[in-house]
């Protein structure tokens, strides 16, 4: 596919902006003042809406044009930074807003409604901030949370072409004098062109580790070469690491995920489902806007104008119901996960069955939200015929984006795990447990 001229790493989004301080005062409705509001003790839903909805409305204005031109939303990421979106879950003592997890996901759905690529581009940032909140190293926790509170974005270099969880990473971390050396290539490096720092999964001997590198370090290069038919503005694609020097304190033990049960897999999956919920809502809004202005109909229609046709009204009503149900499902799982994270952040123990409940809830949400949204963004085209497929309005982006985002962690496996849990009490697997299974010497089928 044609590459964007401005997407090479040498022209990456510069982080030359000032770091925004937080000062006392209520949330302001103007975008220019969004970065200055602080909440005590924690923001309310009303305050967060006043802060971010004007930003989302501004972002939504250019969504169709960006899609047609394949223009990455660098300016829109800047708007989110200025408003403090990437600091939502950073504790206030470190410069963040201290929002709850359900509040984050309510806003994530609204952001996805405005531009579905953005919450996905920030997906690993979202997960990494949660991991930092729980880091057992107090100095590292404070250092990186303060960086996040100053506006730093974390991207990812996790997945490799052709490699699964049962394979060793080809990306390696090797000793190089007093430092470590990172070498390798990743794909699906979603959001990293917007990032200040990139979390890279690597192999150090027989163990997997996470390595945090600066996006502008020598030896780091990135391309916007994602060639999927949907979610094309997430700054996903290839990232390469050639002799990148890594200090010892930038190496995180455990690699991608922590062994055992945890919250991470469900959290990252819920980000994808929140994107689907936002797409469903935007698709309805766009079809409503088209239908209200449409005068052409068919000789067998039930009204002279499409907006007065009861069948058209029924299709749109069903689509709105699907968006409502998708949102409610995502927020129900967010409540479960929020309770777990609140307990963990308070230093309390979380029983294994609580993790299983959250993991299974995310799987059940996949099983319901994905087919519901895919059907809705398909059926909505029934209200206008072939003219709705014209490229100018880019309405096809809703189906393409929904279909693409729905394929992360295919739902067929999650449905099987839910069934196995109900029938024989089998606990759900977690993102890192697949790689712990024993393999035959030829790396054939998983045992």
């Amino acid at each position: 596919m044609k590459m964007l001229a401005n997407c090479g790493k040498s022209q990456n989004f510069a982080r030359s902006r000032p770091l925004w301080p937080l000062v006392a005062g209520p949330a302001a409705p103007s975008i220019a003042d969004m970065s200055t509001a602080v909440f005590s003790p924690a923001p309310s839903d009303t305050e967060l809406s006043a802060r971010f909805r004007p930003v989302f409305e501004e972002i939504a204005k250019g969504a169709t044009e960006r899609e047609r031109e394949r223009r990455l939303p660098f300016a829109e990421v800047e708007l989110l930074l200025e408003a403090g979106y990437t600091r939502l879950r950073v504790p206030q003592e470190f410069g963040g807003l201290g929002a709850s997890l359900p509040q984050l996901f309510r806003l994530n759905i609204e952001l996805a409604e405005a531009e579905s690529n953005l919450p996905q581009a920030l997906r690993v940032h979202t997960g990494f901030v949660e991991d930092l909140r729980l880091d057992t190293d107090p100095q590292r926790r404070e250092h990186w949370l303060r960086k996040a509170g100053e506006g730093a974005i974390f991207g990812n270099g996790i997945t490799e072409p052709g490699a699964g969880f049962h394979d060793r990473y080809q990306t390696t971390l090797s000793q190089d004098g007093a430092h470590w050396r990172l070498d390798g290539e990743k794909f699906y490096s979603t959001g990293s062109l917007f990032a200040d720092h990139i979390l890279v999964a690597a192999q150090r001997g027989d163990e997997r580790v996470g390595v945090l590198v600066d996006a502008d370090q020598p030896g780091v290069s990135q391309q916007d070469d994602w060639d999927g038919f949907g979610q094309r503005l997430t700054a996903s694609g290839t990232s390469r690491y050639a002799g990148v020097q890594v200090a010892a304190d930038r190496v995180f033990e455990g690699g991608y995920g922590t062994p055992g049960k945890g919250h991470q897999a469900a959290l990252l999956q819920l980000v994808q489902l929140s994107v689907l919920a936002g797409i469903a809502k935007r698709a309805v809004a766009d079809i409503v806007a088209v239908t209200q202005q449409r005068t052409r109909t068919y000789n067998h229609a039930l009204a002279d104008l499409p907006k007065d046709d009861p069948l058209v009204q029924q299709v749109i009503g069903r689509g709105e119901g699907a968006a409502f149900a998708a949102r409610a499902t995502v927020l129900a799982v967010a409540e479960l996960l929020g309770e777990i994270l609140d307990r963990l952040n308070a230093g309390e123990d979380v029983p294994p069955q609580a993790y299983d409940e959250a993991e299974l809830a995310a799987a059940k949400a996949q099983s319901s939200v994905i087919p519901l949204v895919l059907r809705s963004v398909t059926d909505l085209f029934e209200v206008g015929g072939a003219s709705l497929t014209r490229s100018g309005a880019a309405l096809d982006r809703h189906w393409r984006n929904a279909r693409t985002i729905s394929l992360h962690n295919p739902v067929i496996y999650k449905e099987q795990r839910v069934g196995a849990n109900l029938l024989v009490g089998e606990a759900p697997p977690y993102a890192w447990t697949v790689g712990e299974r024993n393999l035959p010497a030829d790396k054939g089928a998983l045992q």
Side-chain angles (χ1 to χ4, degrees):
M1 92 183 314
K2 182 180 180 181
M3 293 294 301
L4 290 183
N6 68 339
C7 290
K9 185 65 188 122
S10 62
Q11 299 184 44
N12 192 16
F13 190 38
R15 290 279 172 256
S16 59
R17 53 183 164 75
L19 300 179
W20 299 280
L22 293 174
V23 298
S30 66
I31 293 175
D33 295 331
M34 286 300 168
S35 64
T36 62
V38 68
F39 308 105
S40 182
S44 68
D45 291 345
T46 300
E47 290 170 323
L48 289 173
S49 294
R51 184 185 188 104
F52 289 107
R53 280 184 180 165
V55 181
F56 298 158
E57 290 168 3
E58 186 66 25
I59 289 172
K61 291 178 182 178
T64 301
E65 183 180 353
R66 286 192 299 274
E67 180 72 22
R68 288 199 303 259
E69 298 177 356
R70 190 176 171 141
R71 175 165 51 85
L72 294 182
F74 288 114
E76 290 69 29
V77 170
E78 187 74 1
L79 284 176
L80 291 175
L81 282 166
E82 290 174 356
Y85 195 84
T86 60
R87 301 184 273 123
L88 274 167
R89 286 285 289 164
V90 176
Q92 291 189 358
E93 70 230 58
F94 301 126
L97 303 187
S100 71
L101 195 74
Q103 286 176 323
L104 168 67
F105 276 99
R106 275 193 285 273
L107 292 170
N108 236 29
I109 293 169
E110 290 191 38
L111 175 58
E113 182 183 350
E115 172 56 87
S116 71
N117 294 278
L118 286 173
Q120 185 187 1
L122 295 173
R123 177 174 174 249
V124 168
H125 174 89
T126 297
F128 190 58
V129 167
E130 294 300 330
D131 290 343
L132 289 174
R133 287 173 58 112
L134 299 172
D135 198 319
T136 56
D137 183 329
Q139 289 185 324
R140 185 168 67 183
R141 176 179 181 270
E142 178 174 349
H143 173 78
W144 289 109
L145 283 175
R146 287 198 183 279
K147 289 290 186 182
E150 292 169 351
I153 294 179
F154 301 96
N156 93 96
I158 306 296
T159 306
E160 295 182 359
F165 278 105
H166 60 283
D167 297 311
R168 291 170 63 95
Y169 287 125
Q170 298 302 303
T171 300
T172 60
L173 187 68
S174 55
Q175 193 75 48
D176 185 15
H179 295 84
W180 295 93
R181 173 189 172 117
L182 180 69
D183 294 276
E185 180 178 315
K186 299 289 186 177
F187 196 54
Y188 304 112
S189 306
T190 305
S192 291
L193 277 169
F194 304 130
D196 301 277
H197 312 287
I198 305 173
L199 183 64
V200 184
Q203 198 78 33
R204 183 173 65 180
D206 292 331
E207 67 173 333
R208 288 182 170 189
V209 294
V211 181
L212 197 60
V213 302
D214 298 334
D216 59 357
Q217 272 188 249
V220 177
S221 62
Q222 300 185 67
Q223 290 178 285
D224 176 42
D225 57 353
W226 165 241
D227 60 357
F229 60 63
Q231 292 298 95
R232 297 186 296 192
L233 307 182
T234 57
S236 190
T238 302
S239 56
R240 295 182 177 88
Y241 307 91
V244 179
Q245 191 176 81
V246 179
D249 61 1
R250 293 289 193 96
V251 180
F252 290 71
E253 306 296 331
Y256 182 39
T258 304
K261 298 179 187 292
H263 68 277
Q264 294 96 332
L267 177 73
L268 292 174
Q269 190 62 63
L270 201 60
V271 173
Q272 310 289 27
L273 295 178
S274 69
V275 173
L276 281 168
I279 289 172
K281 184 69 173 177
R282 174 56 62 185
V284 172
D286 284 355
I287 294 294
V288 166
V290 170
T291 304
Q292 286 176 329
Q293 302 300 317
R294 186 177 171 85
T295 57
R296 181 173 178 267
T297 189
Y298 305 95
N299 57 8
H300 47 283
L302 302 182
D304 292 336
L305 291 174
K307 68 178 183 179
D308 297 324
D309 192 314
L311 291 181
V312 171
Q313 294 169 351
Q314 187 246 342
V315 170
I316 289 176
R318 186 170 61 203
E320 180 70 3
F324 177 87
R327 179 182 186 275
T329 301
V330 168
L331 295 182
V333 182
E335 289 286 347
L336 276 177
L337 278 173
E339 291 172 8
I340 289 175
L341 287 167
D342 286 346
R343 293 177 66 176
L344 290 172
N345 282 297
E348 300 175 12
D349 291 331
V350 173
Q353 59 268 28
Y355 290 116
D356 286 350
E357 182 183 2
E359 184 73 11
L360 289 166
K364 287 181 269 190
Q366 273 187 274
S367 183
S368 58
V369 169
I370 288 174
L372 186 67
V373 172
L374 288 178
R375 177 186 173 184
S376 176
V377 297
T378 299
D379 288 352
L380 284 168
F381 282 90
E382 297 290 340
V383 307
S387 61
L388 291 186
T389 68
R390 299 182 68 183
S391 60
L395 295 175
D396 61 304
R397 76 186 190 278
H398 299 311
W399 183 89
R400 290 187 290 101
N401 290 341
R403 179 71 275 187
T404 300
I405 204 76
S406 71
L407 297 173
H408 291 72
N409 304 314
V411 70
I412 55 174
Y413 299 109
K414 298 303 182 75
E415 290 175 332
Q416 184 272 326
R417 290 301 179 179
V418 171
N421 175 262
L422 291 172
L423 288 170
V424 297
E426 185 176 311
Y430 291 80
W432 48 88
T433 56
V434 179
E436 296 170 358
R437 297 178 181 176
N438 294 323
L439 290 171
D442 63 356
K443 288 190 175 182
L446 290 175
Q447 300 297 298

